[in-house]
Amino acid sequence: MIYIAAHKKFDVPNQPGYVPLQVGAEGKKSLGYLADNTGDNISSKNSNYCELTGLYWIWKNTNDQYKGLVHYRRYFSNHLNQNEILSEKDIEQSLKKYDVILPFYRTIKKTLIEDYCEISGFKNDLDKTHEIVKRKYPEYLSAYEKVMNGNQIHFFNMMIAKKKVFDNYCKWLFDILFELEKEVDLTGYNDYQKRIYGFLSERLLNVYFEYNNYEVMECGVINTEENWDNLKKIRTALKRTILYYVQLLLK
């Protein structure tokens, strides 16, 4: 099952296998979707963990053969038609060959360390994360340093994976983040900077799959809001063009 992280009402894709999941639902009005404040959950941490409260909920409260997390505006795209959302059938077929589906690598102009510091302004977060990885998962240290000093990244905290792969990743990730949470003081961070664990996990995902020998399928990502904005721009430009030629004909 693919769960769609959402914090507001949206047009749910008419696709089997996709289910909306309200993240940060604790203390909020219900959207009428599944909610991450039921069962074993960390919903109250959403302001710091972002969509990871949904990831945690999926890990702890579902037993699907394969599990995925996408966003209300971002989905994996069909390889043959980049404007179509990856179908349940294509996902099932792909996971017969691959262990996990991730967004295509993106190459950025800075290292992941520099990019993180530009976003948050607090390199101390990374220093503490490095020490926790060194202390708890020393076998990952080389992969961590390679990834963080490199400039390639799978963005968006999106993935679809076989159950075992998904659950193992979550166990590793949250073990690190919960340890970090004990050591980090967020005093002085603004609301954006306080999304620390969401930002860090976006980088740690790359460390995990750099180290582990899983078969990874890379896939394009559709941003439905951008696609809609582009469509509106095209329609506006077309209307202006038609109006221009109508005016010429009437002269």
Side-chain angles (χ1 to χ4, degrees):
M1 190 68 68
I2 312 304
Y3 297 88
I4 310 169
H7 63 273
K8 64 180 182 179
K9 283 282 191 179
F10 70 104
D11 292 328
V12 180
N14 185 24
Q15 286 267 15
Y18 285 84
V19 177
L21 173 64
Q22 182 177 352
V23 295
E26 185 68 21
K28 303 288 180 60
K29 182 180 179 180
S30 172
L31 298 176
Y33 306 146
L34 287 175
D36 71 352
N37 63 339
T38 60
D40 187 347
N41 73 86
I42 57 169
S43 181
S44 62
K45 297 178 184 285
N46 183 259
S47 61
N48 304 128
Y49 278 78
C50 309
E51 65 276 343
L52 295 188
T53 60
L55 188 76
Y56 182 93
W57 186 91
I58 296 165
W59 171 38
K60 291 293 188 178
N61 298 284
T62 68
N63 197 37
D64 305 312
Q65 182 180 357
Y66 65 87
K67 304 181 184 185
L69 179 68
V70 296
H71 304 161
Y72 71 94
R73 59 177 177 161
R74 291 194 183 100
Y75 303 86
F76 289 105
S77 65
N78 185 306
H79 283 305
L80 298 178
N81 186 341
Q82 294 295 304
N83 292 317
E84 287 185 0
I85 296 172
L86 194 64
S87 71
E88 182 181 41
K89 181 180 178 181
D90 287 336
I91 291 166
E92 291 174 349
Q93 288 297 318
S94 297
L95 291 179
K96 289 179 180 179
K97 180 179 179 181
Y98 298 95
D99 297 306
V100 59
I101 300 171
L102 297 175
F104 277 119
Y105 263 128
R106 288 195 181 184
T107 301
I108 59 178
K109 294 181 180 180
K110 301 177 176 65
T111 67
L112 268 59
I113 292 175
E114 292 168 338
D115 182 65
Y116 179 87
C117 292
E118 187 174 277
I119 291 172
S120 75
F122 297 99
K123 186 174 182 295
N124 184 54
D125 302 340
L126 293 178
D127 294 338
K128 288 183 181 296
T129 304
H130 181 270
E131 288 304 310
I132 291 170
V133 171
K134 183 178 180 180
R135 183 170 72 245
K136 302 197 74 169
Y137 298 98
E139 68 275 20
Y140 280 82
L141 192 58
S142 178
Y144 178 90
E145 292 173 348
K146 176 182 177 181
V147 169
M148 296 304 292
N149 287 290
N151 66 342
Q152 288 191 314
I153 183 172
H154 298 290
F155 274 120
F156 309 132
N157 275 329
M158 289 171 52
M159 65 182 294
I160 304 172
K162 295 175 180 175
K163 179 183 184 299
K164 183 178 179 180
V165 175
F166 187 100
D167 291 351
N168 286 345
Y169 166 66
C170 287
K171 181 179 179 181
W172 176 86
L173 173 69
F174 287 105
D175 190 37
I176 293 171
L177 296 182
F178 289 162
E179 186 70 18
L180 179 65
E181 193 175 4
K182 299 173 186 175
E183 301 182 17
V184 171
D185 180 3
L186 299 183
T187 302
Y189 288 46
N190 62 35
D191 288 344
Y192 186 73
Q193 293 163 343
K194 286 179 180 178
R195 295 161 64 180
I196 168 177
Y197 306 109
F199 293 145
L200 284 170
S201 66
E202 203 167 20
R203 287 141 183 85
L204 288 172
L205 178 146
N206 292 267
V207 175
Y208 187 81
F209 288 103
E210 171 67 27
Y211 174 80
N212 288 284
N213 190 30
Y214 289 127
E215 291 292 334
V216 177
M217 171 181 159
E218 293 184 82
C219 201
V221 172
I222 299 173
N223 186 322
T224 55
E225 288 187 349
E226 285 183 359
N227 288 354
W228 177 241
D229 286 343
N230 288 338
L231 182 59
K232 287 193 291 185
K233 289 177 183 177
I234 292 170
R235 286 175 174 172
T236 299
L238 184 59
K239 286 179 181 178
R240 288 174 178 170
T241 301
I242 293 172
L243 180 61
Y244 171 76
Y245 282 107
V246 168
Q247 290 173 336
L248 284 180
L249 289 172
L250 293 174
K251 285 183 178 180

